[in-house]
Amino acid sequence: MYRQSDRAANLYNEWIPLTPLEDMERTEYDVLIVGSGAGGGAVLSQLCKQWGANGKKIGVVEKGGLLLPTHFYNIPTYTLPRFRSYFDKVSTPVNQTLFRELFALGGRTLAWQLVAPRMPPSETVSWPVPARELSFYYAAAERAIRVTPYYQEGSYYTSILLDRLHSRGFPHAVPMPIAVDREPTKYGQLHSNAAFSSIIQFAEALNRRPYDLAVNARAVEIITDRKRVTGVRVMSPDKKSYILKAKTVVLSASTFENPRLLMASGIPGRAIGHYLTTHSLLGLTGYFDRRQFPEVLGALGILIPGQAGHPYQVMIGGPPEEYNAYQQYLVKPLQNQLRVVAGAFGEVESRFDNRVVLDMAKRDEYGVPDIQVHFSYSEKDQAVIRQMRAGVRQLFTAMQATSVEQVEGPVIEAIHDMGTCRMGYDPSTSVTDPYGQVHGVSGLFVADNSVIPTSGTANPTLTTVALAIRTADYIIQRLR
Ligand SMILES: Cc1cc2nc3c(=O)[nH]c(=O)nc-3n(C[C@H](O)[C@H](O)[C@H](O)COP(=O)(O)OP(=O)(O)OC[C@H]3O[C@@H](n4cnc5c(N)ncnc54)[C@H](O)[C@@H]3O)c2cc1C
């Protein structure tokens, strides 16, 4: 008979089917994915879409629990201050740095800001992926996470400021590309999960074919035999170990956890953990005369992509509360002036010295060595920050702001971590080959922000999803 507490725990698990690790130990997986954020969700979704119910075995292990069944913005009580306070509580700083992780099913896609631009071609030309192929996978990623340039359509706020930018020297300013499902609910088909998180991919995959998913399942070791991956050792919160067998393992555990797992498992590679990169971040606020705008404002979302000679991207957002999205339930106060926030991301050089290393003197509760993070700006990065500061002021002048103040930075963009398992041809400067397979270990792949070769200027998630779909297609060919 159920006790009340058992019943509550079971109900809590019922919104997505879970498989006990004891059962997963009895299966040999064709593909085992570690981590369920942007990279892990994209790989799972593509495998399930392409394979259908073909009998291949797919498993996913996720270190975190079932925090939320949807993106935070889809929750009716969402406001920016409530979100900030909640995110601070549920996320974890990486080793006393500003970088933050969210250990939960869905990873950081439960909280991301949904801004999903492509990397500028001037950046990706040096990447080990042919331009036409990358463009094909960007389009696939945009469909997968429902990116739209029409999110602010009809908003005078966006169109007035966009017109001012276009006519005053910024013709490349565009409406912000946002990962939001704009389909209306019709014919009885609900489209209530507007803001994208990887939970949507877990749902789509589930409705195509079965797969095994374990949460609160921390991967602690990658197991290899004669340069071939054979499985992963996973631990439960009660510190019990399980050996999960797999022909293919995909690490999607983030920029910090992937190199940690690789190094702690003794996988060799000069570049593992190195070339850590992100963006530099500068926040400026401009004030506008409210009388220049109509009463119904709408949301503000404008993106000025980086380009040759301008190694920074600027995102411009508006009220309420500095953000380009708000719940319909929010009561907006009448204002005398408008406050517009511009966030600028500067390109950061990929340098060997910026790195994640194991700290053998300290271990976590699972016995895995901790990491130390070493990161600093180069002289070139500082020059980009100076150029960006002047550039954003020019943007506010073009938009006819009455005054401008710097509100943030320069700091590191704490959530755009990339590069610690970067892809490339040369094993001395990269960790994986151009398809995401770790150099020298057959069947071991990486698919998340850590494979992105250089920071460029664009927010990373769309690129991660594009490269992860490509890696999944490669795995499908390989396992034919
Ligand atoms: C507030 C906020 C706003 C953001 N806004 C944007 C934006 O507008 N645009 C954009 O492009 N990006 C944005 N980002 C960044 C975006 O969320 C990340 O780029 C993206 O989620 C990275 O995907 P990932 O798969 O590399 O890592 P994650 O999404 O973090 O997923 C990693 C997963 O691995 C799991 N894991 C870790 N270690 C283990 C282990 N040992 N065993 C098993 N599982 C493990 C984690 O719990 C997690 O679920 C934002 C992030 C935040 C927090």
Side-chain angles (χ1 to χ4, degrees):
M1 204 177 81
Y2 271 142
R3 280 175 297 140
Q4 193 58 33
S5 56
D6 293 342
R7 194 173 137 69
N10 282 333
L11 287 176
Y12 169 69
N13 285 345
E14 271 171 20
W15 61 263
I16 187 161
L18 299 175
T19 308
L21 283 170
E22 287 81 1
D23 294 355
M24 288 185 77
E25 215 174 18
R26 286 195 283 274
T27 304
E28 183 179 19
Y29 290 98
D30 291 285
V31 180
L32 181 66
I33 302 166
V34 178
S36 65
V43 171
L44 175 74
S45 160
Q46 184 69 357
L47 291 178
C48 291
K49 187 169 156 194
Q50 297 299 334
W51 271 344
N54 68 350
K56 298 265 191 218
K57 300 266 189 304
I58 306 175
V60 183
V61 287
E62 165 54 51
K63 172 178 171 173
L66 301 178
L67 182 70
L68 290 174
T70 188
H71 191 289
F72 198 89
Y73 297 170
N74 297 328
I75 297 173
T77 47
Y78 162 76
T79 63
L80 190 62
R82 276 180 212 135
F83 166 74
R84 281 195 177 137
S85 125
Y86 185 72
F87 184 70
D88 277 356
K89 287 183 194 121
V90 295
S91 62
T92 312
V94 177
N95 186 254
Q96 292 150 20
T97 64
L98 290 175
F99 292 111
R100 285 193 96 84
E101 300 249 41
L102 181 51
F103 298 120
L105 185 72
R108 285 172 292 172
T109 69
L110 297 177
W112 74 309
Q113 231 180 317
L114 309 168
V115 180
R118 297 184 182 197
M119 283 281 179
S122 56
E123 185 68 27
T124 56
V125 72
S126 61
W127 289 10
V129 183
R132 280 184 61 180
E133 220 177 302
L134 191 58
S135 167
F136 172 86
Y137 281 103
Y138 266 132
E142 282 159 352
R143 285 193 299 278
I145 69 171
R146 297 131 168 89
V147 180
T148 174
Y150 302 113
Y151 170 68
Q152 296 89 4
E153 194 179 32
S155 156
Y156 287 110
Y157 203 4
T158 296
S159 59
I160 289 171
L161 293 185
L162 208 47
D163 282 350
R164 290 181 186 175
L165 286 167
H166 287 165
S167 60
R168 290 180 176 81
F170 297 95
H172 51 291
V174 290
M176 194 105 82
I178 299 274
V180 162
D181 180 0
R182 290 180 75 243
E183 283 293 313
T185 290
K186 59 176 186 238
Y187 312 130
Q189 190 185 43
L190 290 171
H191 282 267
S192 53
N193 234 265
F196 174 84
S197 71
S198 66
I199 305 284
I200 290 178
Q201 292 174 316
F202 277 79
E204 277 173 358
L206 200 57
N207 294 332
R208 284 183 197 279
R209 52 159 293 152
Y211 57 85
D212 291 345
L213 166 67
V215 297
N216 298 312
R218 190 207 193 299
V220 292
E221 187 188 355
I222 300 151
I223 304 166
T224 57
D225 181 25
R226 278 162 288 176
K227 299 190 171 184
R228 159 170 288 282
V229 77
T230 57
V232 176
R233 184 162 68 89
V234 176
M235 287 176 82
S236 53
D238 59 4
K239 312 299 176 302
K240 206 168 159 221
S241 277
Y242 300 84
I243 306 290
L244 306 189
K245 296 180 280 301
K247 293 181 186 136
T248 309
V249 169
V250 183
L251 294 182
S252 301
S254 85
T255 302
F256 299 100
E257 284 285 322
N258 291 339
R260 182 178 183 189
L261 276 171
L262 289 167
M263 291 186 285
S265 309
I267 310 272
R270 176 182 179 269
I272 295 175
H274 292 263
Y275 303 100
L276 168 66
T277 188
T278 178
H279 295 125
S280 51
L281 171 68
L282 211 57
L284 276 86
T285 295
Y287 294 92
F288 290 78
D289 182 349
R290 179 71 178 87
R291 288 166 303 187
Q292 294 177 355
F293 298 85
E295 191 182 326
V296 180
L297 277 173
L300 172 60
I302 294 176
L303 183 117
I304 295 114
Q307 49 180 337
H310 288 86
Y312 60 90
Q313 172 191 280
V314 184
M315 290 168 22
I316 299 173
E321 302 157 330
E322 305 159 19
Y323 193 64
N324 56 350
Y326 55 92
Q327 276 289 353
Q328 55 185 312
Y329 315 109
L330 192 70
V331 181
K332 290 194 283 176
L334 278 175
Q335 299 158 303
N336 294 326
Q337 63 176 2
L338 293 177
R339 188 163 165 266
V340 169
V341 170
F345 297 143
E347 190 167 355
V348 168
E349 261 190 293
S350 289
R351 290 186 299 129
F352 188 79
D353 280 354
N354 282 341
R355 64 197 187 278
V356 171
V357 290
L358 289 186
D359 181 349
M360 298 308 285
K362 286 195 202 146
R363 288 173 188 266
D364 70 6
E365 51 180 325
Y366 295 88
V368 182
D370 275 351
I371 49 168
Q372 287 175 359
V373 179
H374 299 272
F375 182 87
S376 63
Y377 287 134
S378 67
E379 191 35 55
K380 198 170 165 193
D381 302 334
Q382 300 285 6
V384 172
I385 293 168
R386 287 192 290 275
Q387 188 184 352
M388 171 159 101
R389 184 178 284 129
V392 181
R393 285 189 180 272
Q394 283 168 11
L395 282 173
F396 275 114
T397 307
M399 290 189 291
Q400 298 173 9
T402 49
S403 62
V404 182
E405 66 187 37
Q406 186 171 324
V407 288
E408 195 180 4
V411 289
I412 55 164
E413 178 43 277
I415 45 179
H416 288 182
D417 42 83
M418 295 171 257
T420 53
C421 296
R422 70 204 296 237
M423 54 170 58
Y425 294 105
D426 179 355
S428 70
T429 56
S430 61
V431 176
T432 80
D433 72 11
Y435 289 98
Q437 184 163 217
V438 173
H439 292 301
V441 188
S442 177
L444 179 59
F445 289 82
V446 182
D448 61 16
N449 281 16
S450 65
V451 291
I452 297 178
T454 54
S455 83
T457 51
N459 320 49
T461 308
L462 182 74
T463 301
T464 281
V465 173
L467 295 176
I469 296 175
R470 183 169 174 268
T471 292
D473 278 354
Y474 181 77
I475 291 171
I476 289 165
Q477 269 182 29
R478 214 177 155 264
L479 294 183
R480 243 183 213 143

